[in-house]
Amino acid sequence: MTFEHSLFPFLASIGGAVLVTYGIARWRSSKSATSVFAQDSSLEDVGLSALSSLFSATPTELGNGRKELRPTWGIRLIAPMVALVVLIFTDLSPLWNSLGIQSATAHLALVCLFGLVLGYSWAMLLFVQRVVYDDHYIMSHGVDLRRQTRRLSDLTGIRVHERRPALVLTFAEQAPLYIPKFLSHREVLIQRLEEISANNLNNGAVPPLPRWRDHAGV
């Protein structure tokens, strides 16, 4: 095979990767800033987000105008299974060796630690994570260690977190609130929160200045 013949597949693969990246960027820009695809930068990311968004659960009416939203069954079942398969079939020994961890026992202990973290996250997804809201308050369970509650009277914005699978609600006089990104019927919740936020801004609420954690994407 001549040099020119071997160079063509290489250039074609580079060109294809560039076109796919450009296409994903254009497609993602056509979505809203709070879309589940807002963080995605590859076809694998888009596919995982699409799977995680499948099989919405019906909101639970709690009375007095309160509704409870749970994560979709896609994120509760499919995403943890993908993470478990990756953990089982990925050889992490080169990573540990590069960090200077040579002991096989230490390798096994680290894998078990990752497994425990995955198991804890899976249990939170299945049994704990939820959002309860009405027109005045919103509560997030299972994202932080403790339940978080915020008044909606000074809500000023909602965005997708830069790195975590979470939506971030910002307030004029309260700390930000993190809620699950892959919620069932999230569009209804986001629309209502955006309406409340716009009304608060029109009534004089001032968005908070970005904190160092926002710049760092923490």
Side-chain angles (χ1 to χ4, degrees):
M1 181 181 291
T2 65
F3 174 75
E4 291 79 5
H5 288 164
S6 61
L7 182 62
F8 177 76
F10 172 74
L11 293 177
S13 64
I14 294 295
V18 170
L19 286 175
V20 168
T21 302
Y22 174 76
I24 291 175
R26 288 294 302 272
W27 173 78
R28 188 179 60 185
S29 66
S30 68
K31 304 293 181 181
S32 70
T34 53
S35 167
V36 293
F37 304 104
Q39 298 166 311
D40 298 343
S41 58
S42 68
L43 287 176
E44 291 81 1
D45 293 339
V46 172
L48 186 57
S49 293
L51 286 173
S52 300
S53 303
L54 293 176
F55 312 121
S56 289
T58 303
T60 302
E61 298 288 344
L62 301 178
N64 298 322
R66 294 188 305 154
K67 294 182 180 181
E68 178 186 279
L69 301 182
R70 299 290 306 276
T72 60
W73 281 107
I75 191 66
R76 282 196 260 179
L77 297 178
I78 297 174
M81 286 297 297
V82 171
L84 182 61
V85 169
V86 170
L87 180 63
I88 292 174
F89 291 100
T90 301
D91 182 12
L92 298 176
S93 298
L95 173 61
W96 309 139
N97 293 334
S98 68
L99 296 175
I101 305 174
Q102 305 294 335
S103 170
T105 302
H107 293 181
L108 179 60
L110 287 169
V111 171
C112 290
L113 178 61
F114 280 137
L116 288 174
V117 172
L118 175 59
Y120 170 79
S121 302
W122 200 345
M124 295 296 283
L125 279 171
L126 284 173
F127 305 114
V128 180
Q129 276 197 10
R130 69 196 68 198
V131 169
V132 177
Y133 75 100
D134 57 21
D135 288 338
H136 307 287
Y137 290 91
I138 184 168
M139 291 178 287
S140 178
H141 302 253
V143 175
D144 294 289
L145 294 177
R146 296 183 300 173
R147 183 189 70 186
Q148 300 290 314
T149 303
R150 299 289 187 275
R151 302 183 312 276
L152 293 176
S153 56
D154 65 333
L155 175 70
T156 57
I158 180 171
R159 61 180 173 83
V160 175
H161 194 277
E162 290 78 6
R163 298 180 183 178
R164 295 170 57 184
L167 292 168
V168 185
L169 278 60
T170 54
F171 301 84
E173 299 179 359
Q174 302 175 89
L177 177 67
Y178 297 85
I179 65 175
K181 173 182 173 181
F182 296 100
L183 278 176
S184 296
H185 297 268
R186 68 194 302 274
E187 296 82 5
V188 176
L189 173 63
I190 290 174
Q191 181 181 2
R192 183 60 188 137
L193 293 177
E194 288 178 340
E195 291 172 354
I196 294 174
S197 172
N199 183 64
N200 292 340
L201 292 172
N202 290 334
N203 288 327
V206 179
L209 293 174
R211 307 176 304 163
W212 70 267
R213 291 180 63 184
D214 298 326
H215 291 298
V218 178

